[in-house]
Amino acid sequence: MNDLRVGLLGAATGRVRYLDDASAVETARIARDEYAELAASRPQICHPMFNGGAFGDVTPYLSEPLLRRELDVLTEAFRADTSIERRTLTGAELEIAIGRALDGVRHNVGDDVGLLAPSASLVGREAQYCRAVASFFASVAAMPESEAAALMRGLRTLQ
């Protein structure tokens, strides 16, 4: 399952920016749920996964329904109309939207928002880090749909 997942993720990466707003927001919900599940099942994966590092096979640590949702949205990415340019936040707009999402994280997890800082020590706090990342994506998903979708597309430009 992981080989299929990795192959699809790699192939779909360039097409995700063409997802319609509803599907783009679903990627935020999927990320929220993945990090929440990993907090309980394999928290040491969250930091490299969120920051683009190597993290190995996550499929044993995620539920089958969640993996199915991810596969469904990847399928949508391959079906997306690439002739339609979708709104993508960049520059100052992206920074402002990330700041709003982080305000939501602060509201939900308090001082654990600091775990998202690049210099934060995560030793013994990996599960809290996962929950903070899950809260970030929950905050994104709670934004108005068009803003959340544009933010998710913008986040992909940072990778």
Side-chain angles (χ1 to χ4, degrees):
M1 178 68 164
N2 188 58
D3 291 339
L4 173 63
R5 179 183 181 275
V6 169
L8 285 173
L9 282 171
T13 297
R15 299 184 61 91
V16 170
R17 66 184 175 158
Y18 297 106
L19 285 170
D20 63 32
D21 287 356
S23 295
V25 175
E26 177 64 4
T27 67
R29 290 186 194 103
I30 290 167
R32 173 201 62 203
D33 295 345
E34 285 179 345
Y35 285 99
E37 286 188 13
L38 289 171
S41 62
R42 192 78 167 167
Q44 63 269 32
I45 290 176
C46 294
H47 186 267
M49 188 167 140
F50 187 63
N51 290 288
F55 54 87
D57 183 3
V58 298
T59 57
Y61 312 110
L62 298 175
S63 67
E64 193 62 39
L66 182 52
L67 291 169
R68 171 57 52 197
R69 285 173 49 212
E70 182 182 63
L71 181 59
D72 289 346
V73 88
L74 291 174
T75 301
E76 287 299 314
F78 285 107
R79 293 182 179 149
D81 185 345
T82 58
S83 69
I84 300 173
E85 281 298 321
R86 306 285 183 176
R87 181 171 171 246
T88 302
L89 296 183
T90 59
E93 276 188 314
L94 179 58
E95 288 179 30
I96 291 167
I98 290 171
R100 279 197 300 274
L102 289 172
D103 288 342
V105 176
R106 190 172 292 104
H107 176 77
N108 291 327
V109 301
D111 290 341
D112 281 351
V113 69
L115 295 173
L116 299 178
S119 62
S121 173
L122 302 180
V123 177
R125 303 191 72 201
E126 293 87 353
Q128 290 97 318
Y129 178 85
C130 295
R131 286 190 285 277
V133 174
S135 180
F136 175 81
F137 286 111
S139 294
V140 172
M143 293 176 173
E145 184 176 77
S146 63
E147 182 180 353
L151 174 53
M152 288 303 292
R153 292 184 198 107
L155 291 174
R156 297 220 178 260
T157 66
L158 299 176
Q159 295 177 340

